[in-house]
Amino acid sequence: MAISLPTISTLRRFALGLCLAMLGSAAVAQEAGISGPIEGDVIGGISNPTAIAVPDMPTPRAVDTPAGNTADLGRQVARVIEDNLRNSGFFNPVERQFLRDVDMPQVTAPDYPAWSQVGAQNLVQGYVQAGSNGRLTVGCYLYDVFAQAPLERAGYEVDYADWRRAAHRCADMVYARLTGEGAYFDSRIVYVAESGPKDNRVRRIAVMDTDGANHRFLTNGQSIVLTPRFAPDGRTITYMSYLNDEPRVYIYDVESGRQRLLVNAPYMTFAPRYSPDSRYVVFSMAVNGNSDIYRVAVSGGQPVRLTNTPGIDTSASYSPDGRRIVFESDRSGGQQLYVMNADGSNQRRISFGGGRYATPEWSPRGNLIAFTRLGGGFRIGVMRPDGSGERILTNSWQDEGPSWAPNGRVIHFFRTPRGNALPTLWSVDVTGRMIRRLPTPVGASDPSWSPLRN
Amino acid sequence: MTQFSRTAIFLAAGSALALGACSREAPDDLPPPPVGTTTPDTGPTGPTGPAPGSRADFLAQAASDTIFFETDSYDIDPEDRAILDSQAAWLLANPSVRVTIEGHCDERGTREYNLALGERRANAAANYLSARGVDASRMTVISYGKERPVALGSDPASWAQNRRAVTVVPIG
Amino acid sequence: MDRAERIALGAAAIGHVALFAILSVTLLTREELPRREAVAVTLSDDIGAFASAADRPAPAAERRDLADEIDVMDPPDIEPLPQPSITPTPAPPRPAERRTERRPETRPERRPPREQRRTSRIAGITDGIGSTNDSGTSRSQAPVSGADRSNLISRIVNAVRPCYNLGSLSGTSAEDIVVRLRIQPSRDGSLSRSQVSVLGARGVNGSNRQYESQMVEAARSAVLNPRCPMPPLPDALYENGWSDVVLNFIPAQLT
């Protein structure tokens, strides 16, 4: 069907000429006879959480399990997934009142128009099934509602007691597929639980799932404990304890609950961090007022000294390839960040901004180093390993002790208020957005993320 | 029983407890930390004043058990020297007493750095006492960083009180 | 982006708005402008459009872009925690090397050379006017003037932009990726996934490759989002006009 166009009005001709002149473009508009697609630029995306629907998961057969009835578990699994996605800051789950019941056939054949009508761009469906082998299976399906297309699916089989992990794994699949980032929900956090007044504070090592569930204390609070770190293999935790009034680094075995001294020396050892292969720990040892950085095998042995300056060298952190170590030193007069080879050679300063820089933590992606910047207050920032591209992510009285999520996208830290109040755990996206408090049963400091669980 | 042997027994008991704790399945049974540190305790006092060699005696005889530092510093100033001189005199007069010297910081430093800074401060005090004739083997240094403040405020007066080194004589 | 380029982009934006405003006034005076209600296109309608649009298949080179990626479900990789065993519902096998398959070397090169791209980004308003014949599919019918084409593209871009949501990709190296989409709406203004094809993504490098498919999906979701339907456009300008549209999704903000 051919439609002849009316001639262009003088006004429009004038308008076009005017606009082209404004743009200083030399392009000449043809008036007729153009073919091919029309083309334009959509410049500047917005940044909103993605609307996602996570309806309750049905079960092919309602069965009582040690973790509850599978029908009820289907609801709980969906809520765990939804909470994870919401707490990431990147997703805006459709409110429950708009969620529809999903039956088993619909799990693989979603009602796209209905989910579109409630505004969902993505849809997570699934099912919960009790297996004959005494384990629980959670099927997890991710859909693009607008494109009316499945995106990905996976199934997870767990012991009944670990049903939350299946939910975390499903949420991880969804998060990774929709953001392009690595997963991190199926991991844990070890931190220092703090309670009591500032001058008589009780500190205990505690672990919890990333969403705060399955919280437990590993120490009883009779000794001061500080700076726990998960081993990259997840099997042990290193931390500092004032057991017997001797501040020393310990290794705690997660499986057996046993702990042992890392280095038997008559000096304070502190600031322990694992190597990426979990075989070594770098730490600081203070000898007659001089703190230097050492490395020792997790299994023990003779420590190797890596720094040798009169200043305070501490807070060492390995690069993910294990070849380099970033640390802080006040050898220049105030705390600054330095990078050295893993054997201690080639030490060079990377931070040069005003104020002081402390507690560097190398991103598991390798591309950034998070740190605490002091000056006025404590703030969390990131910079590249060569010291360029510094960005400050938070602004508060005292934000300290950054720790990376396994995916290198999210940073945990602790925030201490003025006066006698307890510190709290917070997370911030590496872009500086979405600062969020992590709920803990009591005060909390020194968070450290475990690797993704296996 | 002399002060020294009591301390030795105490330490031995502590070590035994520690070993026991290390071999246990659950770490929830860590032994209580040894007493001492900053807890004010006058100790046993007789009608004629504190027993020689006791903490109360030390507190009564020395100018102070505490010296203070400038921000991010571990320098011993003249006022500190006077205090440490009086402590040294008491320690020389009570040669069997072992002491712990605690280093502390205010809250305006990061946790790990402050552990090192507190250790510097405690060592500065211990080195001074040693130079005044106190046998180094009688002194144990320990840093609490910013973890055990005495003043709870977040203001210059509180910070000044918390930047300190404390010489602690065992109770009793 | 340097300062000059920023200014130029700003000028281009102002130009867009001015042109849009002026031409809208003149266009709206046209009798034949259909006054479709700007309601969200429900996806049940889209399914209808999908069926009726079967006679306009996308060129093969384009179809493979994301369609392959999305259409094929991953097999249900049951991850036993920690003991392996189960196999739930079977699924089509995963196509081998689907990632590397996405950008075949034989794909026609549609990107203009770098210098030209830069120009097009600054003076986006002239894009599509007298530009290269990007598609071999157009059936030459009635001519559509350059002014009309500019007006059409402005209206389409303005309709789509509010739904171009980068979400988690915002502030990351993903913002260096420019996605080029081709949309071929039905005459009733409806648009389904089969009418959207991906012409390519440029600016992909080692640091943002992990975000490439997400950037493509962000662009595609923008045009398929029922909250941002095609604006009412004159039926007379459908052929050789808004029946075939190429959109470049440029994440960088005009700041």
Side-chain angles (χ1 to χ4, degrees), chain A residues 1 5 12 23 31 38-42 44-46 48 135 144 153 155 157 169 177 180-181 409 433, chain C residues 23 78-79 81 91 125 143 145 164-166 168 170 180 187 210-211 214 217 220 246 248 250 253:
Chain A
M1 139 178 73
L5 288 163
R12 216 178 307 144
L23 293 165
E31 289 195 3
I38 60 174
E39 180 165 349
D41 296 344
V42 182
I46 59 170
N48 289 331
R135 283 159 69 88
D144 183 332
R153 69 180 176 190
E157 184 191 310
R169 292 297 275 260
R177 178 61 187 78
E181 306 288 354
R409 176 78 198 237
R433 295 179 290 160
Chain C
L23 296 191
I78 292 285
E79 298 184 33
L81 311 175
I125 194 166
S145 75
Y164 182 35
N165 184 12
L166 296 173
S168 64
S170 180
R180 193 166 158 87
R187 193 177 277 276
Q210 68 185 104
Y211 303 122
Q214 283 74 24
E217 283 157 20
R220 196 185 56 189
V246 169
N248 299 299
I250 303 170
Q253 302 278 357

Side-chain angles (χ1 to χ4, degrees), chain B residues 69-122:
Chain B
F69 296 87
E70 296 301 308
T71 298
D72 202 8
S73 161
Y74 56 105
D75 292 340
I76 306 287
D77 65 18
E79 191 182 340
D80 298 334
R81 281 190 207 113
I83 293 169
L84 291 173
D85 285 341
S86 71
Q87 292 182 4
W90 186 88
L91 287 166
L92 291 172
N94 296 274
S96 64
V97 178
R98 294 172 57 89
V99 294
T100 298
I101 300 172
E102 301 176 350
H104 298 271
C105 305
D106 70 28
E107 65 189 358
R108 294 175 304 158
T110 42
R111 181 168 266 173
E112 289 170 341
Y113 178 83
N114 277 4
L115 290 174
L117 178 60
E119 206 263 352
R120 272 179 171 171
R121 287 173 174 165

Side-chain angles (χ1 to χ4, degrees), chain A residues 1-6 8-9 11-13 15-16 18-20 22-23 25 27-51 90 108 112-113 116-121 127 129 133 135 137-138 141-159 162 165-166 169 176-182 186 365 391 409 429 431 433 454, chain C residues 9 11-12 14-15 18-19 22-23 26 30 43-44 47 70 73-75 77-83 85-86 88-91 120-121 124-130 133-135 138 141-149 152-153 156-157 161-162 164-172 180 187 193 210-211 214 217 220-221 224-227 235-237 239 241-242 244-254:
Chain A
M1 139 178 73
I3 297 174
S4 63
L5 288 163
I8 290 176
S9 72
L11 175 60
R12 216 178 307 144
R13 211 184 290 232
L16 183 61
L18 178 70
C19 290
L20 290 174
M22 280 166 50
L23 293 165
S25 167
V28 177
Q30 291 176 259
E31 289 195 3
I34 304 159
S35 61
I38 60 174
E39 180 165 349
D41 296 344
V42 182
I43 301 173
I46 59 170
S47 177
N48 289 331
T50 301
F90 297 143
T108 50
Y112 291 119
S116 180
Q117 272 171 352
V118 299
Q121 177 172 338
Y127 63 87
Q129 184 172 21
N133 55 351
R135 283 159 69 88
T137 298
V138 173
Y141 298 74
L142 172 63
Y143 299 98
D144 183 332
V145 174
F146 295 163
Q148 306 204 354
L151 288 176
E152 198 159 328
R153 69 180 176 190
Y156 306 101
E157 184 191 310
V158 291
D159 290 335
D162 286 337
R165 287 198 59 200
R169 292 297 275 260
R177 178 61 187 78
L178 295 181
T179 66
E181 306 288 354
D186 188 26
R365 251 187 228 175
R391 286 185 285 123
R409 176 78 198 237
D429 188 71
T431 61
R433 295 179 290 160
N454 294 317
Chain C
L9 277 170
I14 293 165
L19 185 66
I22 295 168
L23 296 191
T26 59
R30 294 164 75 124
L43 282 169
S44 45
I47 288 170
I70 303 299
M73 262 230 185
D74 286 337
D77 296 327
I78 292 285
E79 298 184 33
L81 311 175
Q83 299 168 348
S85 73
I86 184 169
T89 47
S120 117
R121 181 166 163 183
I125 194 166
T126 61
D127 286 1
I129 299 179
N133 186 347
D134 213 357
S135 139
S138 76
Q141 305 220 345
V144 174
S145 75
D148 282 338
R149 292 165 68 94
L152 289 173
I153 199 68
I156 293 168
V157 163
R161 190 188 288 122
Y164 182 35
N165 184 12
L166 296 173
S168 64
L169 303 159
S170 180
T172 72
R180 193 166 158 87
R187 193 177 277 276
R193 184 176 159 226
Q210 68 185 104
Y211 303 122
Q214 283 74 24
E217 283 157 20
R220 196 185 56 189
S221 292
L224 292 177
N225 191 329
R227 295 189 179 194
D235 187 72
L237 301 182
E239 301 291 345
W242 58 276
D244 196 2
V245 181
V246 169
L247 295 173
N248 299 299
F249 287 82
I250 303 170
Q253 302 278 357
L254 282 169

